[in-house]
Amino acid sequence: MHMNRNEITKNALNPALLADEGLQQFSVLNDTYKEYSRNRCVQDLVAMQAKATPDATALVAGEQTLSYRELNCRANQLAHKLQALGVHSGTLVAICVERCPDLVVGLLGILKAGGAYVPLDPTYPSDRLSFMLKDARPLVLLTPQHMVTRLPVEGTHVICLDSDAMLLSQQSESDPAPSSASTDLAYVIYTSGSTGQPKGAQVTHSNLLNLVFWHQHAFSVTASDRATQGTSPAFDATGWEIWPYLTAGASVYFIEQETRISPALLRDWLVSHRINITFLPTALAESVMALTWPSTTSLRFLLTGADTLHHYPSSTLPFALINNYGLTETTVVSTFGEVHSTEYTNLLPSIGRPIANTQIYILDEQLRPVLIGVPGELCIAGEGVGRGYLNRPELTAQKFISDPFSDKPDALLYRTGDMACIRPDGQVEFMGRIDQQIKIRGYRIEPDEIVSVLNEHPSIATSLVIAREDTPGDKHLVAYIVLHPEAETTADALRGALAASLPDYMIPTTFVCLPALPITPNGKIDRAALPVPQMTNTLRESSFTAPGTPIEERVAAIVVTLLAMQQISVDDNFFLLGGHSLLGTQVIIRLQEAFGVEIPLRTIFNAPTVRLLSAEIEQLLLIKLESMSDEEALSLL
């Protein structure tokens, strides 16, 4: 359904509707006005902190620390260099750097120069990075030297933050003159696109400032607080993990990767580093909050979001659990609410209420407000709604429409495509997608983007990708494919083809081969008729080697269960089958329980097949046996 703006306004603002309970309830829900300052952008606020408390700790990554003085001076030097290259208000500057202090120096330096940053994840395939760079056409690219050969840099100034460090150190350490207004662009972040290519969501300084000031007020952020940075550099939550704290004089601690993928290690790290506020994606947060916590932890708030929260916290947790909802297009967070402990409920935790200066509307197909308890499309208005998509005017016009409930002529309403309702207590209940967009492990995925790559494969006639959750809490991607007559392929061949242009979280776990996609009487794909993946319909790997030892059999059984597969070859790569770091942690935990040995978490990365894992376990068992007495060894055997 598509309506022009005049039709939308006419439908939404007719007198009969204004008297309706549907609109009255939103006037209460959306009473969120709170004044905030637009006079200074985040880079200016960080500079003020550097001036007020220059020796205070800004960033901590392992043994490396940066004070506010050091952070500000390094960002200033980068900013002066960027300005010399022509960066000014609104100029796009790409940054492709791993999670480390250099990432923050780069982001801050770009903003200080007046530019808008375009963060890229260095773990993405080269084809995907190339598309983003060609689409954004940044004037400058910031990256380490070893990444340059993977990226198209023709016509782009390249600054290597490692090899050019000496050159940058010769620039002035003074603050450049303020060159950004609140209406200017702050950043562009790429998300999965339904057209088969990623799309860049544009966010302004005003959008970002509203998020920062709401966050600081909602969670009582002070200069003595310690927060964390643990998400991908290209995930919009990264900005949320950084700017509310650095603009308040607090410290940001980088979580090491091995710590981040282990709930128990992460809990211990949060406690030992006296972290006060942390954001963890939903799946990780649920694992962490299920652990036993010491009552002496400094943690006040565990913030979560990016996926559906399935569990309520225990009453024994010594911190508050805050569930958040938002999108890149609406500046990370649009709703939030504390999730209280409860044992008796048939409802999932809500996503709370709108944040400051944000309005939430649940609308029907004619974009009219619905009644309490009635599902509709969740639409977002207010200070967090961004500028639209970079170089996508038609998609921007479709998703960012004129706000019919605002008296401001330039106010926008973002159509999320999510379904929700308002509960009787005024909380917003998330109810899934209206369209076919998928959300897995915090990533919003347009399945058509995967399908467009699959359909380019010479063996495939057509395909469809969905998310299945045949076991509650275990959501994974499944590709249904129809091959050309006489064509053959294998699951690992398809994964290899997809991996050339898609990140690992977009690669299906399972490929189901069908003679044809099921069709409804009106000619649409019948998704309800898609079969459950089974050994008889699942595409095999190029070769299959069954487990040959008792250890391999036990390892294979554990891996197969966690991957929700029928069988696995001893040489299949866990990560190419759809495994990820959190699932890998579960594999290690179950293997330790099954074999009674301590297995380092990195083992799943160094030995990602059943054969290699089994060999590692065999060595650990031998070491354990050698340390035992003969009597203990016999009892173990």
Side-chain angles (χ1 to χ4, degrees):
M1 175 205 64
H2 298 285
M3 306 173 68
N4 63 42
R5 294 185 177 184
N6 290 333
E7 291 173 324
I8 293 168
T9 304
K10 180 179 178 181
N11 284 337
L13 298 182
N14 69 72
L17 180 60
L18 286 173
D20 187 82
E21 179 187 343
L23 196 54
Q24 291 175 7
Q25 72 187 30
F26 287 111
S27 67
V28 176
L29 179 71
N30 292 324
D31 184 14
T32 61
Y33 175 78
K34 191 165 188 65
E35 187 59 42
Y36 71 99
S37 174
R38 296 177 176 84
N39 296 331
R40 292 184 175 90
C41 297
V42 293
Q43 64 270 25
D44 307 317
L45 297 174
V46 175
M48 290 173 60
Q49 292 296 335
K51 184 176 181 179
T53 57
D55 297 321
T57 299
L59 304 174
V60 179
E63 298 300 317
Q64 183 183 5
T65 64
L66 281 185
S67 68
Y68 271 87
R69 177 192 289 111
E70 292 168 324
L71 171 62
N72 196 56
C73 287
R74 287 185 56 188
N76 286 342
Q77 291 172 326
L78 175 60
H80 286 296
K81 179 60 178 178
L82 291 173
Q83 289 180 334
L85 293 174
V87 174
H88 52 78
S89 177
T91 302
L92 295 185
V93 178
I95 177 167
C96 189
V97 178
E98 296 176 348
R99 293 189 312 105
C100 64
D102 275 354
L103 172 65
V104 182
V105 170
L107 299 179
L108 184 59
I110 294 167
L111 295 179
K112 281 175 169 283
Y117 59 80
V118 184
L120 307 176
D121 190 328
T123 66
Y124 283 176
S126 295
D127 286 355
R128 192 174 184 83
L129 293 173
S130 296
F131 172 83
M132 294 173 179
L133 286 170
K134 291 175 182 176
D135 184 65
R137 299 190 297 276
L139 179 65
V140 184
L141 167 66
L142 308 180
T143 193
Q145 179 67 48
H146 73 269
M147 285 294 299
V148 175
T149 56
R150 290 186 55 202
L151 303 170
V153 297
E154 186 176 352
T156 302
H157 297 287
V158 177
I159 297 178
C160 296
L161 295 177
D162 47 5
S163 58
D164 289 336
M166 184 63 69
L167 177 65
L168 291 173
S169 68
Q170 297 171 10
Q171 299 291 320
S172 171
E173 294 182 348
S174 63
D175 289 315
S179 57
S180 297
S182 63
T183 54
D184 289 336
L185 202 61
Y187 62 77
V188 175
I189 289 185
Y190 278 84
T191 65
S192 181
S194 59
T195 60
Q197 298 288 0
K199 56 187 186 295
Q202 304 177 97
V203 172
T204 68
H205 281 281
S206 180
N207 301 145
L208 182 56
L209 284 167
N210 185 67
L211 175 75
V212 166
F213 285 115
W214 159 76
H215 184 100
Q216 291 176 347
H217 175 77
F219 305 114
S220 303
V221 178
T222 69
S224 62
D225 277 327
R226 298 180 176 199
T228 61
Q229 199 293 308
T231 61
S232 159
F235 193 25
D236 63 348
T238 291
W240 186 31
E241 294 176 301
I242 294 172
W243 303 126
Y245 304 107
L246 293 185
T247 54
S251 303
V252 176
Y253 284 64
F254 286 83
I255 308 173
E256 295 178 357
Q257 182 61 19
E258 186 164 323
T259 299
R260 183 177 169 274
I261 65 175
S262 167
L265 285 180
L266 180 55
R267 174 202 57 194
D268 296 344
W269 183 90
L270 291 169
V271 171
S272 65
H273 286 79
R274 304 193 303 281
I275 301 299
N276 308 111
I277 309 173
T278 187
F279 167 75
L280 301 177
T282 307
L284 182 56
E286 290 195 323
S287 297
V288 167
M289 72 186 196
L291 301 173
T292 300
W293 282 75
S295 58
T296 56
T297 178
S298 300
L299 192 65
R300 300 198 311 272
F301 296 104
L302 170 56
L303 313 179
T304 192
D307 214 334
T308 301
L309 185 65
H310 288 90
H311 300 96
Y312 288 85
S314 164
S315 59
T316 62
L317 286 184
F319 50 80
L321 175 69
I322 309 296
N323 197 23
N324 302 269
Y325 167 87
L327 303 98
T328 305
E329 293 87 343
T330 58
T331 320
V332 192
V333 179
S334 297
T335 72
F336 80 115
E338 182 174 352
V339 182
H340 297 281
S341 172
T342 179
E343 294 180 3
Y344 305 101
T345 180
N346 58 355
L347 296 174
L348 293 176
S350 80
I351 57 173
R353 302 171 185 269
I355 72 168
N357 303 309
T358 297
Q359 293 81 50
I360 297 294
Y361 298 99
I362 312 299
L363 307 179
D364 65 15
E365 291 185 354
Q366 284 72 47
L367 297 182
R368 298 173 302 195
V370 300
L371 300 178
I372 289 176
V374 177
E377 182 177 6
L378 195 162
C379 297
I380 301 172
E383 296 293 335
V385 178
R387 189 183 287 181
Y389 298 113
L390 182 68
N391 304 326
R392 303 286 193 279
E394 292 184 1
L395 184 59
T396 297
Q398 176 185 343
K399 300 287 284 184
F400 294 80
I401 64 175
S402 179
D403 182 1
F405 310 108
S406 174
D407 56 5
K408 298 178 181 179
D410 58 345
L412 295 176
L413 183 79
Y414 179 71
R415 303 186 62 179
T416 69
D418 286 336
M419 200 160 56
C421 73
I422 304 297
R423 293 178 178 174
D425 63 359
Q427 301 282 321
V428 181
E429 178 180 347
F430 178 79
M431 304 177 73
R433 290 292 298 176
I434 294 173
D435 57 21
Q436 304 305 324
Q437 189 185 80
I438 296 166
K439 200 170 186 183
I440 291 182
R441 303 198 306 279
Y443 294 100
R444 287 181 176 267
I445 298 170
E446 295 285 357
D448 285 348
E449 186 176 351
I450 306 172
V451 167
S452 67
V453 180
L454 272 175
N455 289 350
E456 291 177 359
H457 194 280
S459 297
I460 294 180
T462 188
S463 63
L464 176 71
V465 175
I466 67 169
R468 296 196 69 100
E469 194 170 359
D470 300 308
T471 301
D474 179 24
K475 185 187 294 184
H476 57 280
L477 291 175
V478 176
Y480 291 86
I481 63 171
V482 178
L483 299 178
H484 287 297
E486 309 300 324
E488 294 182 356
T489 188
T490 60
D492 48 347
L494 293 181
R495 289 192 194 95
L498 291 172
S501 56
L502 298 177
D504 57 0
Y505 66 83
M506 293 181 70
I507 298 177
T509 302
T510 306
F511 297 85
V512 175
C513 194
L514 301 176
L517 296 177
I519 302 296
T520 63
N522 62 7
K524 295 184 178 180
I525 295 176
D526 188 354
R527 293 172 181 270
L530 292 168
V532 174
Q534 297 177 341
M535 192 174 298
T536 54
N537 61 20
T538 301
L539 204 62
R540 302 292 182 86
E541 309 300 324
S542 56
S543 61
F544 175 79
T545 303
T549 68
I551 292 178
E552 288 182 350
E553 288 177 356
R554 294 177 73 182
V555 172
I558 289 171
V559 175
V560 161
T561 300
L562 289 172
L563 287 176
M565 298 180 68
Q566 297 292 324
Q567 63 179 15
I568 182 173
S569 172
V570 295
D571 294 313
D572 288 341
N573 188 299
F574 171 78
F575 296 102
L576 292 181
L577 294 177
H580 50 83
S581 56
L582 279 178
L583 210 55
T585 301
Q586 294 182 46
V587 169
I588 294 298
I589 291 172
R590 294 198 185 186
L591 290 176
Q592 290 180 149
E593 293 172 348
F595 292 99
V597 293
E598 289 295 320
I599 307 172
L601 283 172
R602 62 179 180 275
T603 304
I604 190 68
F605 298 97
N606 298 334
T609 69
V610 169
R611 189 191 301 276
L612 294 175
L613 270 175
S614 299
E616 293 287 335
I617 291 169
E618 186 175 352
Q619 288 299 313
L620 291 171
L621 287 171
L622 288 173
I623 293 172
K624 183 175 181 178
L625 283 171
E626 289 174 357
S627 65
M628 291 181 172
S629 65
D630 292 342
E631 192 172 304
E632 289 174 327
L634 285 172
S635 65
L636 181 65
L637 295 173

